[in-house]
Amino acid sequence: MSDGAELPGRGGAADESVREVAALRAALRNSEEERQRLGATLDSIGDMVTVQDPDFRIIFQNKAMRDCVGNHVGEYCYSAYERRDSICTDCAMREAFRDGAVHRLEKSLAVPGRPERIEIVASALLDRDGICLAGIEVVRDLTELRRAEATVRASHEQLLKSHAELVATQRQVVQQERLRALGQLAAGIAHDFNNALAPVLGFAELLQDEPEIRRGTPKLRSYLDMILEGARGATDVVARLREFYRPRDPQEDFAPVPLRALLEGVVLLTRPKWRDQAQAAGRTILVELDPASPPEVICHESELREALVNLLFNAIDALPLGGTITLRARAQGEHVRIEVADTGTGMSEEVQRRCMEPFFTTKGAKGTGLGLAMVHGIMRRHQGRVEIESATGLGTTVSLLLPIGLPSGAGVATAPPSGPVRRLRVLVAEDEPLVGRMLLELLSSEGHAVQLAASGVEALEKFAAGRFDVVLTDRAMPEMNGDALALALKRAEPAIPVIMLTGFGALMNAHGEKPAGVDEVLAKPVTRAALRSTLEQVSARSIRPESRGAAGTSNPSS
Ligand code: ADP
Ligand code: MG
C-alpha cells in the first residue's frame, strides 16, 4: 500500500504522527531490503554461515549451510548440529560468546554426506556496551585442500625415499667399481711380488740344503732361516691379497654345510681371543649364539669359517671396553643371512665406505686391512654379498648373504693323481735370469736334468736338438710368449707335457684358464713341494717310455 505519502486535510500532531509512521515504515522497508541483500550476499559465498543468538538459537543460515545440514532456523544449534552430526562438540561459538573474541578450530567429521574436514571460525557480535547480541559461525570445507596436501606430502616422502635409495645405490655401485679396480691392481701387484719372491724363496730353500750351510755357523743358519721366514710371510700376504680378487675356482669344494655346527665351531675357535685374552686385559666379552635353527647352506666350508672368524676378530677388536657379540643366521628370501653384531665402537661413514678395500685399516701396525677384503672375495665367490650397518659408539652388524641354492658351476674337488718320482729331462723357458737360475738349481737338486732357454725361440731350438720329458715355460716372454711356445711344442710333439709357470698362475687357475697346449698352470712363487707334485702328476699322466732317447739332457747349458 501507500506508505510514506502524506494525507491531506489533517494538521498538527496528526500530521506529525503520520510522518513518523511513514518514516518507520520506510526504515522497516529499508531494513528488510538490507536483510535480503545481506542474505543474498551470504547465500552467494561458498562457505557455510550461521548466525545464532546467545542461547544458540539459529537466526540465520546461508544457502551453503542449508544445503549441507538442512534448514534449522528457529531451532537450537545443539539440536541442529551437535545431536545430529557432532559438528559442535568443542563449540567455537560458545567460546566466542564467553570472551567476545574470534575462535578458530579445525576438525574431522565422520558423517556421510558431510565434509570430512572443516574449519570453523566463530565470532560474537557485540553492541556498543559490549553486550553480546549474536554469534556468527563460518564453516569452511577443507576436505579437498587437506586431501591435496596429503597427496603432496606422500609424494614428497616418496621422492625423498627414492632419492635416498638412489644415493645408496650410487654409493654401492661406486664401491663395487672401486673394489673391482682394486682387484685388478691387486692382481698386478701379486703377480710382480710373486715373481720377485720366487728367487728369494727358491734360493733360500736351496741354500738350506747346501752342505756348507748345514755345516756353517749358527749365525749363518739363523740368518737364512730369517730370510726364509720373511719370504714365506710375504708369500702369505700375497696369498691373502689373492683371496680378495681371485674368482671362484671351478674345482672348489662346495657342499651342504649345517650352519649351526659351523657357527658353534667358530665361537669355540675364537674363544681364546674373546674370552681368555680379553679377560686377561680386564674386559668382559660375551658371545651369544642366537638359538634359532638356521638352514643348511651350500658353501665352501673352510672359506666361510675363515670369513666368520675374521668378522669375530674385528668385533672383538671393536670392544676395547668389553661388550656383546651376537651371531645369528636365518633364511631371508633366496638367501641365508648370517649376522655378526657387536656393541662396540662402530665405524664412521668414511670407514664404512672403505673398510673392504685391501690394506685399509684403522688399527695401525696391528691391522693388515686384509680381513674384510678377504671376506668380500669369499662372498663374491659364493655369489653372495656383504652388508654393513654401523653407528659410531653403538656398534656394528656385518651380514653375510649367501644364496641358498648351489652356486652355478660349483663342483666337488677331485684328488690329484700322484705318481712315482723319477728323473726327468726338463726344458725350462724363462726370460727372467734370476728365476731361470733358481728353477735350474731347484730342479737339478731334485735330480732332474735341466736345460735353460732364455726365450721361446731358444726353447724351440733346444727342444728340436734334444730329448725332453717335460717343458716348463714362463708365460710373458718377449718375441714368443709361453702360449705360442706351448702350441709350437705340441705341434712338434703332441705328447710332450707343458707346464706353464707364471705370476698370474693363481688367477689363471681360478678362471680355469689354460692356454691351448698347456697341461698344467703353476703359480709363482713356486715352492719346491708344488713343483715336485706337478712334475709327478704330469709325468705320471704322460705315457712316455723311460727308454726314450737320452741326448742333450745331461747338463744345463746356462
Ligand atoms: P683389520 O682388522 O686388519 O684392520 P679389516 O679388513 O678386517 O682389517 O677391517 C678394516 C677396518 O674396518 C678396520 O681397521 C676397522 O676400522 C673397520 N672394522 C671392521 N670391522 C669392524 C667392527 N666390527 N667394528 C668397527 N670397525 C670395524
Ligand atoms: Mg680384521
Side-chain angles (χ1 to χ4, degrees):
M1 276 285 292
S2 59
D3 27 25
E6 233 177 90
L7 297 175
R10 308 259 178 99
D15 281 357
E16 187 64 15
S17 57
V18 167
R19 265 198 302 278
E20 275 174 10
V21 169
L24 206 61
R25 277 193 182 153
L28 268 175
R29 199 179 49 231
N30 280 345
S31 146
E32 175 59 20
E33 279 170 4
E34 194 65 28
R35 206 183 59 79
Q36 278 176 6
R37 248 201 314 278
L38 188 66
T41 307
L42 288 174
D43 277 348
S44 72
I45 63 171
D47 292 344
M48 298 173 265
V49 180
T50 319
V51 181
Q52 300 167 18
D53 69 16
D55 294 327
F56 300 97
R57 222 190 325 256
I58 295 168
I59 304 168
F60 171 81
Q61 283 175 300
N62 75 341
K63 181 171 182 305
M65 184 59 99
R66 287 194 304 275
D67 288 348
C68 182
V69 301
N71 193 0
H72 294 286
V73 170
E75 293 181 33
Y76 284 103
C77 172
Y78 178 79
S79 62
Y81 299 126
E82 189 140 278
R83 206 174 50 201
R84 296 188 188 175
D85 57 25
S86 70
I87 281 183
C88 296
T89 40
D90 36 7
C91 188
M93 187 70 101
R94 184 169 47 226
E95 295 303 302
F97 283 148
R98 196 171 47 76
D99 61 9
V102 177
H103 287 268
R104 185 193 169 278
L105 111 93
E106 186 174 327
K107 62 200 247 174
S108 298
L109 301 179
V111 183
R114 301 281 156 82
E116 282 170 22
R117 189 83 186 158
I118 53 169
E119 177 198 53
I120 302 168
V121 180
S123 53
L125 260 179
L126 308 178
D127 70 6
R128 250 180 241 133
D129 304 322
I131 306 294
C132 182
L133 300 175
I136 303 178
E137 193 171 81
V138 179
V139 180
R140 177 168 290 176
D141 182 356
L142 296 182
T143 312
E144 285 309 316
L145 185 69
R146 293 292 179 256
R147 255 191 221 148
E149 274 174 7
T151 312
V152 170
R153 206 175 310 120
S155 54
H156 180 67
E157 271 159 21
Q158 185 57 42
L159 208 66
L160 284 181
K161 209 174 121 210
S162 305
H163 181 253
E165 276 167 11
L166 195 71
V167 168
T169 311
Q170 199 179 29
R171 191 172 292 162
Q172 220 169 19
V173 169
V174 168
Q175 194 194 36
Q176 289 304 320
E177 266 318 303
R178 185 161 43 199
L179 290 177
R180 209 187 335 269
L182 281 169
Q184 281 167 4
L185 196 71
I189 292 170
H191 169 259
D192 289 357
F193 256 85
N194 283 337
N195 260 340
L197 282 169
V200 178
L201 203 62
F203 281 119
E205 280 191 336
L206 273 170
L207 270 181
Q208 263 190 329
D209 292 341
E210 280 296 305
E212 293 105 286
I213 301 282
R214 283 178 195 277
R215 284 194 304 270
T217 60
K219 191 167 158 183
L220 193 67
R221 286 201 305 270
S222 83
Y223 281 7
L224 184 59
D225 286 346
M226 283 190 277
I227 291 174
L228 259 172
E229 198 186 313
R232 287 194 184 120
T235 310
D236 277 354
V237 170
V238 178
R240 259 183 286 163
L241 180 60
R242 188 178 104 83
E243 289 304 313
F244 166 64
Y245 65 76
R246 92 176 162 84
R248 193 172 68 235
D249 184 342
Q251 298 293 298
E252 268 175 314
D253 199 356
F254 278 69
V257 172
L259 255 185
R260 178 95 209 159
L262 182 72
L263 292 176
E264 282 167 357
V266 169
V267 172
L268 270 183
L269 203 67
T270 52
R271 196 158 67 180
K273 198 166 151 91
W274 61 258
R275 198 182 59 180
D276 309 334
Q277 282 177 33
Q279 264 171 13
R283 56 185 174 143
T284 308
I285 295 177
L286 232 79
V287 175
E288 287 174 351
L289 189 55
D290 190 76
S293 220
E296 212 174 54
V297 282
I298 292 168
C299 67
H300 191 296
E301 185 172 358
S302 61
E303 284 209 336
L304 187 59
R305 183 180 299 113
E306 181 164 12
L308 287 166
V309 166
N310 265 296
L311 296 187
L312 241 91
F313 280 177
N314 279 345
I316 295 164
D317 288 343
L319 291 166
L321 303 173
T324 307
I325 301 172
T326 311
L327 277 84
R328 274 183 227 106
R330 63 188 149 89
Q332 182 190 318
E334 309 201 317
H335 289 88
V336 171
R337 174 184 279 269
I338 310 172
E339 286 179 1
V340 178
D342 64 64
T343 57
T345 52
M347 296 185 217
S348 69
E349 252 189 50
E350 151 94 2
V351 171
Q352 235 180 99
R353 217 171 28 242
R354 299 197 51 199
C355 62
M356 278 191 272
E357 294 173 9
F359 303 116
F360 177 85
T361 180
T362 55
K363 299 173 190 169
K366 278 195 294 179
T368 61
L370 285 170
L372 286 180
M374 268 165 69
V375 173
H376 166 79
I378 290 169
M379 281 301 106
R380 205 166 31 86
R381 284 194 288 285
H382 280 79
Q383 288 166 21
R385 62 179 193 273
V386 185
E387 281 181 8
I388 296 177
E389 261 179 84
S390 188
T392 26
L394 292 177
T396 302
T397 300
V398 183
S399 306
L400 305 182
L401 282 120
L402 281 166
I404 285 176
L406 181 72
S408 55
V412 172
T414 45
S418 72
V421 193
R422 58 187 175 110
R423 187 172 180 273
L424 299 169
R425 295 154 298 184
V426 186
L427 176 62
V428 175
E430 171 64 68
D431 64 323
E432 288 264 350
L434 263 180
V435 178
R437 269 218 72 85
M438 185 275 291
L439 287 170
L440 178 84
E441 303 278 350
L442 203 62
L443 290 164
S444 305
S445 76
E446 293 275 294
H448 304 301
V450 187
Q451 284 210 30
L452 195 59
S455 71
V457 180
E458 191 185 331
L460 270 187
E461 283 166 13
K462 288 201 166 160
F463 187 75
R467 285 267 178 204
F468 296 94
D469 300 304
V470 58
V471 178
L472 245 81
T473 177
D474 185 24
R475 188 170 205 189
M477 292 185 292
E479 286 174 60
M480 176 183 261
N481 68 11
D483 298 32
L485 174 62
L487 277 180
L489 288 170
K490 291 281 177 170
R491 253 201 305 277
E493 199 172 326
I496 185 80
V498 177
I499 300 172
M500 182 168 274
L501 200 67
T502 163
F504 286 120
L507 200 56
M508 289 168 66
N509 273 333
H511 278 301
E513 183 188 346
K514 207 184 271 180
V518 172
D519 297 280
E520 283 297 329
V521 175
L522 207 56
K524 282 180 186 173
V526 68
T527 59
R528 188 191 283 258
L531 193 57
R532 187 184 291 156
S533 85
T534 306
L535 280 173
E536 276 170 16
Q537 270 178 51
V538 296
S539 64
R541 267 206 300 255
S542 65
I543 18 163
R544 295 166 61 76
E546 200 67 38
S547 59
R548 242 174 130 269
T553 61
S554 51
N555 238 342
S557 66
S558 62

